[in-house]
Amino acid sequence: MDWLQALFCEQGIAHAVLTLALAITGGLLLGKVKVGGVSLGITWILFVGIALSHFGMTIDAPVLHFVKEFGLILFVFSIGLQVGPGFFSSFKHGGMTLVTLASAIVLLGVLTTYVLHLTTGVDIPTMVGILSGAVTNTPGLGAAQQAYADATGINDPNIALGYAVAYPLGVIGIIFSMLLVRYVMRVNFKKEDEGLAAISNEHKMAERVSVEFTNETLDGQKIGYLRELVNRAFVISRILHADGSITIADAETVLTNGDRLLVISSPDDMPAVIAFFGHTVEMTDEEWGKNTPNSELVSRRILITKSNINGKKFSDLKLRTRYGINITRINRAGVDLIPYQGMELQIGDRVMVVGSLKAIEKVEGVLGNSLKKLNQPNLITIFVGIALGVLLGSIPLLNVPQPVKLGLAGGPLIVAILIGRFGPHYHLVTYTTMSANLMLREVGIALFLAAVGIGAGDGFIETIVNGGYRWIGYGAIITVLPLLLVGFFARIVLKLNYYTMMGLFAGSMTDPPALAYANGTAGNDMPAVSYATVYPVVMFLRVLTAQIFILFAL
């Protein structure tokens, strides 16, 4: 049985893999347990890791550090790819508000830490370690340690111990703050879903309206000319003529008074489009589905799966001219968009095509429409993006006196957002299936939590017994107080959507476990979008304030 003892007690690759697997398995099993209908979910991995480390199952520091950082990179990169397509539009609609709220949380945390230092007498280096743990910010810890060492020539172990003691309750404190706001404010998820749909137009990015053309001054003009006049984004899908025939519209189609038009436009542009053409009329889908004299009109969503289409514009493909079809909507990441000739297509887009059955079959051949092809992973984009993210995260932005960097989490996250948004423009295939994205995300966060727990377990109990238990309380105050102050203000005064607030809480604390909990609770991408919106600025502020705090004490 020597081999079994060696496997559990001696350092090595097999021991490291076994320890990580046990921490993750135990944490996931405990995550299924609910108390009062609430579970910490995947966060349990952290505490199982602490327990294993306390009983002697540790991992060599270099291996543990690699696993932690690589897991975090996988987690944030998969999030960036997912939220990238909608990131910049979300930033325009309330992004600055989120960044301001997140910055307020950071500054309130620093102020709370300083007040605790004055009232308790705990030295500032230790308080900075507690602050970094309470807000679950490892780069801030590293910056504080390095700034102290550079200024004094020695290392202060209390910085790391304060971090280790405060970190576990920091994770719980963030989730607790989310739950407290939810129950105090009596959040109703059904109403939040309705509010979210209204804010993001998630279900109404494209509306269909039947309009009778009655503008006599424009009688006999082509649709292409009228589109330039109205200066609004719209598509005319089909036209019902006076003789009862239905035809597909294109830029060269001439409109005649009395024609009925099936118009697709955004909610913002639709009133102007209706007023320009005439007035609305009631027509059912069955009436629009009537046949033309020569062919059957059908509508079908076609999935873009051919790599040579990625990044191309509609104007390059000339689908209307070549096949006599009309494209009325583009569904991208669950949102319907109004197509235009300059729009760049991406693999994974679902294109709504209207035309004859034969024409649509030809368009399918051009665009792909093969689910099998989408199941193949595009690893080149992922690993090129990770490499670029590591480079970006390593660039020093400020020197005070240590370089302030985005780090191995911030760099990959920003690059993933940029690739998700602009990658198709450079013919990069950024599409991953939802299951593949979730797998990368969950594997990454599981490895990260297991590594953090195993790293924090050694000496954890001893520190608490010897007076460190007070640090847990200080850390809890630093975690919860700023979140609740800003959270209640954002909810009561700004009427912030709860899903967005959960992402704000997790992002302001740069805390992946809290984001994983928020995503699981919300069941949509809004927490991830707000997390990604505030994360870069918050990471910068966390690192900067940690260093300034240390220098202020010396």
Side-chain angles (χ1 to χ4, degrees), residues 97-98 101 105 177-196 199 482-502 504-505:
T97 300
L98 291 178
L101 292 172
I105 291 173
S177 299
M178 294 179 185
L179 292 171
L180 188 61
V181 171
R182 173 181 169 183
Y183 288 112
V184 170
M185 301 304 299
R186 298 181 180 180
V187 173
N188 184 311
F189 280 176
K190 184 177 180 180
K191 290 183 179 179
E192 297 302 306
D193 290 334
E194 294 172 354
L196 181 62
I199 293 170
L483 289 177
L484 292 182
L485 289 175
V486 173
F488 284 122
F489 172 82
R491 185 69 181 178
I492 296 171
V493 179
L494 303 181
K495 310 299 182 183
L496 192 67
N497 183 273
Y498 181 71
Y499 301 143
T500 300
M501 183 185 296
M502 286 197 295
L504 169 67
F505 279 12

Side-chain angles (χ1 to χ4, degrees), residues 15-16 18-28 30 42-59 64 164 167-168 446-461:
H15 170 79
L18 176 65
T19 304
L20 290 168
L22 289 176
I24 293 171
T25 302
L28 292 176
L30 287 172
I42 199 171
T43 309
W44 270 110
I45 296 174
L46 175 72
F47 300 106
V48 175
I50 290 174
L52 290 175
S53 180
H54 175 70
F55 290 107
M57 291 196 68
T58 58
I59 299 175
L64 198 65
Y167 188 100
L447 290 173
F448 173 77
L449 287 172
V452 170
I454 293 168
D458 188 22
F460 183 80
I461 301 298

Side-chain angles (χ1 to χ4, degrees), residues 123-373:
D123 60 278
I124 284 183
T126 301
M127 287 304 305
V128 173
I130 295 172
L131 169 64
S132 298
V135 301
T136 67
N137 188 262
T138 306
L141 168 69
Q145 288 176 314
Q146 194 66 52
Y148 187 88
D150 287 347
T152 64
I154 59 174
N155 293 314
D156 187 343
N158 282 340
I159 299 177
L161 282 174
Y163 170 87
V165 170
Y167 188 100
L169 203 61
V171 176
I172 296 177
I174 301 168
I175 297 174
F176 169 78
S177 299
M178 294 179 185
L179 292 171
L180 188 61
V181 171
R182 173 181 169 183
Y183 288 112
V184 170
M185 301 304 299
R186 298 181 180 180
V187 173
N188 184 311
F189 280 176
K190 184 177 180 180
K191 290 183 179 179
E192 297 302 306
D193 290 334
E194 294 172 354
L196 181 62
I199 293 170
S200 64
N201 287 324
E202 190 171 82
H203 307 294
K204 300 194 301 179
M205 284 299 291
E207 291 184 343
R208 298 197 330 162
V209 175
S210 299
V211 178
E212 183 169 345
F213 182 60
T214 58
N215 193 331
E216 295 183 358
T217 61
L218 301 177
D219 187 27
Q221 298 293 338
K222 295 180 179 180
I223 290 177
Y225 172 72
L226 299 180
R227 184 176 285 112
E228 294 178 1
L229 287 181
V230 72
N231 194 29
R232 292 288 193 278
F234 71 91
V235 171
I236 297 178
S237 171
R238 290 168 249 187
I239 301 176
L240 173 62
H241 300 285
D243 60 3
S245 64
I246 297 176
T247 59
I248 294 176
D250 58 31
E252 298 299 315
T253 301
V254 175
L255 296 184
T256 305
N257 273 341
D259 287 344
R260 292 193 171 187
L261 320 174
L262 182 57
V263 179
I264 295 93
S265 184
S266 68
D268 292 337
D269 289 337
M270 186 62 83
V273 173
I274 294 173
F276 182 77
F277 285 113
H279 59 84
T280 58
V281 291
E282 293 294 331
M283 287 188 66
T284 63
D285 291 340
E286 289 75 17
E287 290 176 294
W288 280 118
K290 291 179 180 178
N291 297 340
T292 62
N294 299 317
S295 62
E296 181 181 3
L297 281 181
V298 296
S299 60
R300 182 175 299 174
R301 285 198 183 271
I302 298 177
L303 190 63
I304 297 178
T305 58
K306 285 194 173 181
S307 57
N308 63 313
I309 301 297
N310 192 56
K312 284 193 174 181
K313 300 177 181 178
F314 275 123
S315 56
D316 299 331
L317 301 178
K318 297 181 172 59
L319 296 176
R320 290 177 180 174
T321 304
R322 292 168 60 187
Y323 304 107
I325 55 89
N326 205 354
I327 297 168
T328 61
R329 277 161 288 172
I330 305 293
N331 186 275
R332 179 173 296 165
V335 177
D336 279 339
L337 306 174
I338 307 299
Y340 55 92
Q341 288 299 301
M343 177 180 281
E344 293 180 348
L345 299 173
Q346 300 181 15
I347 286 183
D349 284 350
R350 295 180 180 272
V351 181
M352 178 64 81
V353 180
V354 178
S356 67
L357 188 59
K358 290 183 178 180
I360 287 180
E361 289 174 350
K362 292 178 181 178
V363 174
E364 284 182 342
V366 174
L367 301 181
N369 206 33
S370 173
L371 285 173
K372 183 178 180 181
K373 287 188 176 181

Side-chain angles (χ1 to χ4, degrees), residues 538-552:
V538 168
M539 179 62 72
F540 179 83
L541 289 176
R542 291 290 185 198
V543 173
L544 182 62
T545 53
Q547 295 189 46
I548 292 176
F549 215 158
I550 288 291
L551 296 176
F552 176 76

Side-chain angles (χ1 to χ4, degrees), residues 374-443:
L374 287 186
N375 290 330
Q376 299 174 356
N378 300 292
L379 295 180
I380 291 179
T381 299
I382 292 175
F383 283 99
V384 167
I386 289 175
L388 293 174
V390 171
L391 288 174
L392 177 62
S394 302
I395 297 174
L397 303 177
L398 280 178
N399 289 279
V400 285
Q402 275 303 113
V404 178
K405 304 175 182 178
L406 290 172
L408 295 180
L413 175 63
I414 292 175
V415 168
I417 290 171
L418 294 175
I419 287 177
R421 173 62 179 86
F422 300 108
H425 181 73
Y426 299 99
H427 303 288
L428 287 174
V429 177
T430 61
Y431 178 83
T432 56
T433 62
M434 183 60 69
S435 59
N437 187 284
L438 286 174
M439 176 63 77
L440 277 178
R441 185 188 306 182
E442 294 300 310
V443 168

